């Protein structure tokens, strides 16, 4: 009887661990060139229309594609104004924020979450009269005050208003000393990790990914973090001196192997790795996919997002 009870308990724990906790809707998946399909991912709770947008390279086109695929409900205007409650901007490159800028006149009041250097870029280079107009609540006058800046302090969790989420920022290296960032998103006791552009620590001569792996390893071991969205921009043929702060399939495996040292192989197996930011030049996206699937010693679960197609995650 005791053995049966223990088996039943293990089964229930496994079901709880695998319960759906996040919906991710890619509004854009690529890392350049295709201006209608650039890095932007809505994260929401199942059966909830309150989304946090992780980067915002493409917004409107992605919303319309998601509506067409029935991943979102309502009009494009309703989704933009009412359902997207805030934006996390990982860094200041246009392929991660141009959709936010272009759609700002049609948008509603909401929050922007970013580390201090990224807020400074928005204030000093984008939301200024010479390039656009200041739709935020700090910076160059006239200040329209539509967006409220929330500065993310390293490792300090803050709520994302009007969503069920809390967000913690972590600095990344994207061609030292240029800074990108990651967002650890929490809903109840479950987590999802999104990384903006990042180079490997070995190439960047940095410890930012190692610091991030140390932070999330306990969550992976406890099955509280089941999904990482991380970039792989180039295939393995790209020379290391021409990576410009990005990853290849081999470098991703190199970094995930460091995470494995902190979690153990068993805890890493089956971890969902959503591959973002593939450069769309030539057959790069398909080549990157083939190289990742061919060399998967850690037995992680690679997911290759499609614009507008919802991904349901534990």
């Amino acid at each position: 009887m005791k053995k049966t009870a223990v088996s039943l308990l293990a089964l229930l724990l496994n079901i709880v661990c695998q319960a759906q906790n996040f919906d991710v809707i890619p509004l854009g998946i690529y890392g350049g060139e295709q201006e209608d399909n650039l890095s932007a991912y809505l994260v929401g709770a199942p059966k909830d229309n309150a989304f946090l947008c992780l980067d915002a390279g493409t917004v409107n086109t992605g919303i319309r594609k998601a509506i067409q695929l029935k991943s979102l409900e309502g009009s494009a205007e309703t989704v933009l104004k009412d359902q997207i409650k805030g934006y996390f901007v990982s860094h200041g490159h246009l392929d991660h924020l141009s959709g936010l800028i272009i759609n700002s006149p049609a948008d509603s009041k909401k929050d922007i979450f970013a580390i201090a250097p990224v807020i400074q870029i928005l204030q000093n280079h984008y939301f200024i009269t010479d390039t656009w107009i200041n739709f935020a609540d700090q910076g160059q006058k006239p200040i329209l005050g539509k967006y409220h800046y929330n500065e993310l302090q390293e490792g300090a969790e803050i709520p994302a208003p009007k969503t069920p989420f809390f967000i913690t920022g972590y600095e990344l290296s994207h061609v030292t000393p240029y800074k990108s960032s990651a967002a650890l998103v929490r809903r109840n006791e479950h987590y999802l990790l999104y990384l903006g552009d990042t180079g490997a620590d070995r190439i960047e001569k940095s410890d930012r990914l190692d610091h991030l792996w140390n932070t999330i390893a306990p969550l992976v071991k406890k099955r509280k973090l089941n999904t990482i969205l991380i970039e792989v921009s180039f295939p393995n043929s790209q020379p290391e001196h021409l990576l410009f702060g990005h990853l290849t399939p081999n470098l991703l495996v190199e970094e995930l192997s460091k995470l494995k040292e902190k979690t153990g192989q068993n805890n890493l197996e089956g971890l969902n790795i959503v591959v973002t930011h593939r450069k769309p030049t030539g057959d790069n996206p398909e080549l990157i996919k083939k190289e990742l699937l061919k060399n998967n010693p850690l037995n992680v679960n690679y997911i290759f997002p499609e614009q507008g197609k919802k991904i349901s995650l534990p």
Side-chain angles (χ1 to χ4, degrees):
M1 181 66 77
K2 286 185 178 180
K3 187 175 181 180
T4 302
V6 170
S7 298
L8 180 59
L9 179 60
L11 178 62
L12 290 172
L13 286 173
N14 184 62
I15 291 171
V16 169
C17 288
Q18 295 302 314
Q20 185 183 341
N21 290 293
F22 299 98
D23 281 336
V24 171
I25 302 172
L27 301 184
I29 66 170
Y30 291 129
E33 298 177 35
Q34 295 190 21
E35 68 268 18
D36 61 348
N37 198 357
L38 298 171
S39 296
Y41 296 85
L42 296 184
V43 59
K47 300 179 181 178
D48 188 3
N49 287 330
F51 296 101
L52 179 64
C53 195
L54 304 174
D55 278 332
T58 293
V59 175
N60 188 278
T61 301
I63 290 172
R64 287 187 279 114
K65 183 71 172 179
I67 292 171
Q68 179 185 338
L69 294 177
K70 302 190 185 306
S71 299
L72 291 170
E73 297 178 351
S75 66
E77 180 182 8
T78 297
V79 173
L80 175 67
K81 288 187 172 183
D82 300 334
Q83 297 182 24
I84 298 177
K85 304 299 184 181
Y87 302 93
F88 165 75
V89 180
S90 66
H91 63 295
H93 288 161
L94 280 168
D95 58 328
H96 292 258
L97 55 77
S98 60
L100 165 61
I101 303 296
I102 291 296
N103 285 280
S104 55
D107 208 349
S108 58
K109 282 196 171 188
K110 56 193 59 166
D111 292 276
I112 292 176
F113 303 89
I115 60 175
V118 178
I119 291 177
Q120 290 168 11
I121 290 170
L122 288 167
Q123 287 181 344
N124 297 334
H125 299 288
Y126 293 116
F127 283 138
I128 60 174
T129 303
D130 284 346
T131 57
W132 202 238
I133 193 70
N134 187 4
F135 281 91
D137 60 354
Q138 300 173 37
Q140 186 187 90
K141 295 180 179 178
I143 295 173
L144 301 186
K146 180 174 285 188
Y147 297 124
H148 172 63
Y149 289 125
N150 295 265
E151 182 180 327
L152 296 173
Q153 304 285 344
E154 180 82 10
E157 183 181 80
I158 63 172
K162 302 177 183 178
T163 79
F165 304 121
F166 293 79
I167 184 170
T168 310
Y170 295 93
E171 189 179 295
L172 300 173
S173 182
H174 180 38
V175 186
T176 303
Y178 190 80
K179 294 176 180 177
S180 180
S181 58
L184 183 63
V185 180
R186 178 174 69 85
R187 174 179 173 247
N188 299 326
E189 296 302 315
H190 298 277
Y191 295 80
L192 174 148
L193 178 65
Y194 173 83
L195 289 82
D197 291 356
T198 182
D201 279 353
R202 176 173 61 81
I203 308 297
E204 295 287 302
K205 297 179 173 54
S206 169
D207 64 352
R208 301 316 303 167
L209 283 175
D210 186 65
H211 174 66
L212 186 59
W213 301 152
N214 280 327
T215 300
I216 69 166
L219 301 176
V220 174
K221 291 170 72 173
K222 294 175 183 176
R223 307 289 181 180
K224 291 184 174 183
L225 192 157
N226 296 293
T227 301
I228 298 175
L229 290 86
I230 187 168
E231 69 124 287
V232 181
S233 296
F234 297 107
N236 289 325
S237 59
Q238 186 80 359
E240 288 188 348
H241 71 284
L242 295 176
L243 289 174
F244 310 111
H246 294 295
L247 295 175
T248 63
N250 284 346
L251 287 173
L252 176 60
V253 172
E254 182 179 311
E255 286 296 338
L256 291 179
S257 295
K258 295 176 183 176
L259 177 59
K260 182 202 72 172
E261 294 172 5
K262 306 173 192 300
T263 64
Q265 173 72 32
N266 290 340
N267 291 315
L268 207 63
E269 287 186 359
L271 183 71
N272 294 311
I273 302 294
V274 180
V275 180
T276 67
H277 205 266
R278 286 176 290 170
K279 297 285 187 178
T281 307
D283 62 351
N284 276 1
E286 194 59 34
L287 185 55
I288 290 167
K289 180 178 180 178
K290 288 180 179 177
E291 290 178 344
L292 285 169
L293 294 176
K294 184 178 180 180
N295 179 31
N296 185 12
L298 303 174
N299 293 319
V300 297
N301 178 38
Y302 286 118
I303 297 172
F304 300 92
E306 300 175 40
Q307 187 180 36
K309 187 175 181 179
K310 181 165 67 175
I311 307 168
S312 297
L313 297 163

